Amino acid sequence: MSETKALESMIGEEYKYGFTTDIEYEDFPSGINEDIVRLISEKKNEPEWMTEFRLKAYRAWVEMEEPSWFNATYEKPKFDTLQYYSAPKNKPKLNSLDEVDPNIRETYEKLGIPLDEQKMLAGVAVDAVFDSISIFTSFKEKLAEAGVIFCSISEAVQDHPELIKKYMGSVVPARDNFYAALNSAVFSDGSFCYVPKDTICPMELSTYFRINNMNSGQFERTLIIAEENSHVSYLEGCTAPVYDENQLHAAVVELIALDNAEIKYSTIQNWYSGDENGKGGIYNFVTKRGACRGKNSKISWTQLETGSVVTLKYPSVILQGDNSVGEFFSVAVTNKMQQADTGTKMIHIGKNTKSTIISKGISAGRSNNSYRGEVKISKKADNARNYSQCDSMLIGQTCGAHTFPYIESANPTGKIEHEATTSRVGEDQIFYLQQRGISEDDAISLIVNGFCKEVLKELPMEFAVEANKLLGIKLEGSVG
Amino acid sequence: MLELKNLHAEVEGEGIEILKGVNLKVSKGEIHAIMGPNGSGKSTLSKVVAGHPHYEVTKGDILYNGESILEMDPDERAHAGIFLAFQYPVEVPGVTNTTLLRESYNTIAASRGREELDPLEFDDYIKEKLSLVEMNPDFLERSVNTGFSGGEKKRNEIFQMAVLQPTLSLLDETDSGLDIDALRIVSDGINKLHGDHDAIVLITHYQRLLNYIIPDHVHVMINGRIVKTGGKELALELEEKGYDWLESLETVNGEAK
């Protein structure tokens, strides 16, 4: 099946993940205060130090102001009516797949994520997070053989407290920013991955996040640690039902790479993006940061951001170890009334550190798409290098594209290159392809896929086809 | 095959009339050349036949195999066998020549009920067409027209024509930007592609192309209309005399109107 054929088969599909799963939820009071934070901790049967971690974060959050420096306008989330914890009533901790609520299993099947290990994509281990609770982590045993720990954060708090204590909050401190502080106080679950020394993780790791409950926020935390000489590739996918109300998603992701370790983190974000008039949709306010702590370590972010009504997200790398490498490959698509303010930060601290930023922004409809990136070379970072390329593509006349690069160098040996282009998918380009027999929608898909090629090729193979389809669907009928 | 009846067209939404009543009849197996000074409407004519959305037909009709195609989208016209070799081929970064051509070929094949080719079959098929315009196979993996020289772009258009096998080819100033060797290669290619079942309309400023591709009919277009039609010798006459003597002819007609 050719690329375009695959796209054709999707034609006419609106947001197909917009269904709701009918299941019973545990009762939990809405709003936020210290008691709520304690209650979350209690529900999860957490040790005292974890409760303290949350309370400190909560107290910090109360003192903080909601930021507004980004290029997006929206109605602020109502923090006092939000539900901060939402879990399906059935027993959350599961020992086998048979114990998963059949409704939830069905949901994941509809999403194309069979939890059934036999049917799964070869070599991909999946952790599924439904609202706040991690439902099941597959391939656990096979990973354990290799010494890789892949489980929910809740389990890790219980089973690997020394690792959590050492690393959680070490890259994104609780006080880092408003949403990170909130997450640190109320985070419900998420994925944890630990790859021991001299280990190449034997399979792709993957987490699927699903927000189902209408009034709940989703605050998951992901923590990935790659010890010396280890390697891991991780992918997250996100979907949510269609609701008129906005839902908040404020996650924190921390990555730690020690000497010679490599972490590749990919995201396909397709939260519900609201309707034509910007009603409903997910607020995607996420803090993602990786620390290249060790020499010669490497962290690579690849993201395909297509959903959410508002996205504020800057996956960053702190290049501490000498010769460490940071990469950011991004495609951000906005259509309808979506607003995205996304980019990265590359902080060079070690010597001979290198970073690459490739950002492709595509705006259509009445959307607004901003790239915001910071490259900082500190005093001691001799011979640091950065290359940034930010390309924007406009489809139609009513959308906007913006680029906000911040460059700061305190070391004269640093080299920073920045390139930026803006192009419009023009009548002539579409006419040219149509003259070659290709329909208007397929022409746009082809042009956009070509535009994003450098980034799409960074996605794990299994997901590259998905990504192509997703781009096609997102921009369906966006011209004329 | 193609019949233009009193065709009037203007720039969409701007009310500037560019084609002011063009009449033209092209039959199977024929080669027509349309010549004329800059701004006479030659390129517009080819775009209007191909269905460019920038232009609006305000009067008259375009018949293709006896049926009006005015309501057809550009891709539908392409499916019907109309091919336009662009004067300024458009760049499509990140999309390889092979990808585009396979999409094109298979979409057109599907619409005509012909068999589609899988990537391996298609690979064999296009490699064979490459030799027609003496192009290097590396070229297939380059992005469509991106970073091509002017000559390469023009050659690529004829290569696409060879792959897609249209029944009516409109070649808009395919000769401009080609050096003398490339001109010969491209012309040879066009001659080889042409047969009893297809027709070619060449749009050109210069007579030199017509030394290589011999037209059956030559038309002179001035100010949005065809003011004179003749055999291949008309091209030579134009080369010698320029267009001035015909412009007066056009003015006379204009006043008579």
Side-chain angles (χ1 to χ4, degrees):
Chain A
M1 194 153 77
S2 73
E3 257 168 57
T4 309
K5 274 286 143 51
L7 287 166
E8 265 173 15
S9 71
M10 314 293 286
I11 280 185
E13 281 184 48
E14 261 299 305
Y15 190 65
K16 70 167 181 174
Y17 307 109
F19 58 87
T20 314
T21 309
D22 197 10
I23 44 161
E24 266 191 88
Y25 284 97
E26 256 184 75
D27 288 328
F28 198 87
S30 50
I32 184 165
N33 53 47
E34 289 205 9
D35 290 340
I36 295 270
V37 174
R38 276 182 215 279
L39 193 59
I40 292 170
S41 191
E42 196 179 300
K43 281 266 176 209
K44 306 180 83 64
N45 202 17
E46 286 175 352
E48 186 57 30
W49 56 267
M50 197 71 247
T51 315
E52 272 311 306
F53 177 95
R54 290 177 180 275
L55 285 170
K56 255 196 215 161
Y58 173 71
R59 287 168 199 147
W61 179 72
V62 171
E63 301 294 317
M64 290 169 122
E65 243 178 80
E66 195 172 352
S68 57
W69 44 263
F70 33 74
N71 190 23
T73 49
Y74 58 91
E75 205 180 309
K76 303 283 182 215
K78 297 179 191 74
F79 295 102
D80 46 348
T81 57
L82 209 66
Q83 198 175 332
Y84 289 86
Y85 183 83
S86 167
K89 208 165 190 177
N90 285 358
K91 187 168 95 139
K93 173 122 194 197
L94 301 156
N95 299 314
S96 95
L97 270 174
D98 302 335
E99 294 171 42
V100 176
D101 185 322
N103 283 328
I104 293 177
R105 284 191 66 176
E106 203 187 312
T107 298
Y108 279 104
E109 264 153 38
K110 272 193 216 170
L111 296 173
I113 312 152
L115 294 180
D116 215 333
E117 294 190 19
Q118 286 78 36
K119 286 194 226 154
M120 284 197 339
L121 290 168
V124 181
V126 178
D127 185 19
V129 177
F130 194 85
D131 284 325
S132 302
I133 291 292
S134 177
I135 298 297
F136 196 83
T137 309
S138 67
F139 279 124
K140 213 181 249 184
E141 280 163 29
K142 192 171 173 193
L143 289 167
E145 266 171 49
V148 174
I149 303 168
F150 182 42
C151 63
S152 71
I153 279 275
S154 306
E155 284 174 77
V157 169
Q158 305 295 340
D159 301 343
H160 309 284
E162 67 297 339
L163 290 172
I164 298 288
K165 271 192 204 170
K166 186 170 174 188
Y167 291 111
M168 188 187 274
S170 76
V171 187
V172 179
R175 302 178 156 273
D176 190 80
N177 68 71
F178 185 81
Y179 295 104
L182 180 62
N183 175 289
S184 301
V186 302
F187 73 90
S188 30
D189 215 332
S191 299
F192 174 79
C193 171
Y194 176 82
V195 189
K197 200 171 162 185
D198 302 324
T199 305
I200 289 174
C201 184
M203 59 186 74
E204 293 275 343
L205 301 181
S206 174
T207 298
Y208 273 84
F209 294 107
R210 172 83 179 160
I211 300 179
N212 188 59
N213 196 352
M214 183 161 112
N215 299 312
S216 75
Q218 186 159 351
F219 304 94
E220 82 274 350
R221 261 194 110 92
T222 302
L223 176 59
I224 300 176
I225 302 146
E227 288 275 9
E228 286 172 38
N229 300 310
S230 70
H231 180 283
V232 61
S233 171
Y234 183 95
L235 182 123
E236 60 173 12
C238 326
T239 60
V242 172
Y243 288 126
D244 283 349
E245 297 286 316
N246 295 113
Q247 292 168 282
L248 175 64
H249 173 253
V252 169
V253 176
E254 296 176 281
L255 312 181
I256 294 127
L258 301 178
D259 286 358
N260 306 307
E262 183 175 341
I263 302 175
K264 185 174 170 61
Y265 194 105
S266 315
T267 303
I268 295 185
Q269 186 265 105
N270 187 21
W271 297 117
Y272 176 54
S273 57
D275 69 8
E276 251 76 45
N277 301 310
K279 199 169 174 50
I282 302 284
Y283 290 156
N284 187 34
F285 302 161
V286 173
T287 308
K288 289 183 167 177
R289 196 174 302 153
C292 281
R293 297 238 166 108
K295 283 180 208 144
N296 310 312
S297 57
K298 179 175 174 184
I299 288 179
S300 179
W301 298 101
T302 304
Q303 60 172 21
L304 175 58
E305 298 283 321
T306 66
S308 300
V309 65
V310 182
T311 295
L312 307 173
K313 178 182 165 187
Y314 315 92
S316 306
V317 185
I318 301 168
L319 298 147
Q320 284 167 283
D322 290 348
N323 311 315
S324 59
V325 175
E327 292 176 336
F328 175 74
F329 301 101
S330 169
V331 171
V333 182
T334 54
N335 199 353
K336 298 178 184 169
M337 292 286 280
Q338 284 177 275
Q339 303 177 81
D341 189 312
T342 181
T344 184
K345 280 192 257 182
M346 292 290 173
I347 312 295
H348 293 255
I349 296 169
K351 294 183 175 56
N352 308 312
T353 46
K354 239 168 71 182
S355 63
T356 304
I357 299 171
I358 311 279
S359 163
K360 307 276 181 177
I362 300 149
S363 337
R366 285 182 288 157
S367 70
N368 220 349
N369 199 330
S370 305
Y371 167 81
R372 188 183 303 276
E374 180 179 1
V375 176
K376 192 172 171 180
I377 295 181
S378 62
K379 232 177 189 170
K380 289 180 184 163
D382 291 340
N383 304 311
R385 292 203 54 180
N386 163 267
Y387 173 73
S388 302
Q389 185 189 327
C390 303
D391 299 326
S392 307
M393 179 176 262
L394 300 162
I395 303 177
Q397 307 288 333
T398 49
C399 54
H402 314 269
T403 305
F404 304 100
Y406 305 87
I407 294 169
E408 201 182 312
S409 180
N411 186 312
T413 62
K415 265 191 206 157
I416 298 177
E417 283 175 77
H418 183 95
E419 286 179 27
T421 66
T422 303
S423 54
R424 191 179 289 281
V425 175
E427 207 175 47
D428 279 328
Q429 219 172 9
I430 294 170
F431 176 64
Y432 185 70
L433 296 177
Q434 275 191 290
Q435 212 303 303
R436 298 302 182 248
I438 296 167
S439 73
E440 183 170 299
D441 278 334
D442 286 346
I444 293 167
S445 276
L446 207 58
I447 294 165
V448 167
N449 274 307
F451 175 71
C452 302
K453 201 182 205 174
E454 294 151 278
V455 173
L456 296 180
K457 75 174 170 34
E458 297 294 328
L459 285 173
M461 270 289 278
E462 294 90 329
F463 303 96
V465 179
E466 281 301 301
N468 274 329
K469 283 188 210 164
L470 192 57
L471 284 175
I473 297 164
K474 277 288 156 183
L475 296 168
E476 194 89 353
S478 50
V479 168
Chain B
M1 174 174 280
L2 177 72
E3 193 175 354
L4 307 183
K5 284 184 162 172
N6 189 28
L7 187 64
H8 289 252
E10 59 182 45
V11 176
E12 172 91 24
E14 288 179 23
I16 304 163
E17 187 167 68
I18 298 179
L19 301 183
K20 301 172 180 173
V22 177
N23 290 294
L24 180 67
K25 211 169 170 180
V26 178
S27 302
K28 262 188 195 173
E30 290 180 344
I31 297 180
H32 289 242
I34 299 177
M35 304 182 73
N38 289 326
S40 57
K42 307 186 300 292
S43 283
T44 300
L45 180 69
S46 66
K47 286 184 193 163
V48 169
V49 173
H52 198 297
H54 190 55
Y55 302 99
E56 190 187 354
V57 172
T58 49
K59 213 167 149 188
D61 207 348
I62 305 171
L63 302 180
Y64 180 68
N65 294 332
E67 283 177 46
S68 173
I69 57 167
L70 289 182
E71 294 304 315
M72 286 163 78
D73 283 339
D75 47 326
E76 294 169 327
R77 298 186 197 195
H79 298 168
I82 296 175
F83 178 88
L84 171 61
F86 283 60
Q87 182 182 3
Y88 303 109
V90 178
E91 298 186 1
V92 191
V95 177
T96 65
N97 264 319
T98 306
T99 306
L100 169 65
L101 282 172
R102 199 173 62 234
E103 287 290 337
S104 291
Y105 181 89
N106 283 338
T107 314
I108 293 172
S111 76
R112 291 193 193 168
R114 280 201 319 238
E115 204 184 329
E116 296 183 36
L117 298 179
D118 69 32
L120 288 177
E121 292 167 337
F122 188 74
D123 201 47
D124 292 341
Y125 173 74
I126 42 173
K127 290 241 162 88
E128 164 205 320
K129 300 287 176 191
L130 271 178
S131 57
L132 197 79
V133 278
E134 297 182 23
M135 286 176 98
N136 189 320
D138 296 348
F139 162 89
L140 293 173
E141 293 314 312
R142 287 169 61 187
S143 292
V144 178
N145 295 322
T146 310
F148 286 24
S149 70
E152 281 176 321
K153 285 183 182 173
K154 292 302 178 69
R155 223 191 261 206
N156 192 25
E157 294 294 288
I158 301 309
F159 171 59
Q160 295 185 11
M161 173 179 161
V163 171
L164 301 178
Q165 299 183 306
T167 44
L168 172 67
S169 302
L170 310 161
L171 312 183
D172 189 3
E173 296 197 21
T174 298
D175 52 333
S176 65
L178 293 180
D179 61 38
I180 200 75
D181 292 329
L183 180 66
R184 182 186 45 76
I185 293 165
V186 164
S187 304
D188 283 353
I190 295 168
N191 283 329
K192 280 183 202 149
L193 290 171
H194 178 57
D196 294 340
H197 298 286
D198 72 289
I200 292 176
V201 177
L202 301 166
I203 288 161
T204 182
H205 279 296
Y206 304 109
Q207 196 274 331
R208 66 169 193 170
L209 175 68
L210 307 180
N211 291 334
Y212 297 93
I213 305 171
I214 313 295
D216 301 298
H217 304 278
V218 174
H219 311 274
V220 181
M221 194 160 175
I222 293 176
N223 196 18
R225 284 191 293 144
I226 288 172
V227 297
K228 194 167 176 62
T229 294
K232 61 179 189 233
E233 64 290 341
L234 178 57
L236 292 168
E237 199 178 345
L238 290 169
E239 182 80 355
E240 198 182 315
K241 297 197 201 164
Y243 293 112
D244 288 352
W245 60 289
L246 288 167
E247 263 167 39
S248 61
L249 185 71
E250 199 277 330
T251 314
V252 171
N253 283 353
E255 279 173 359
K257 200 165 62 168

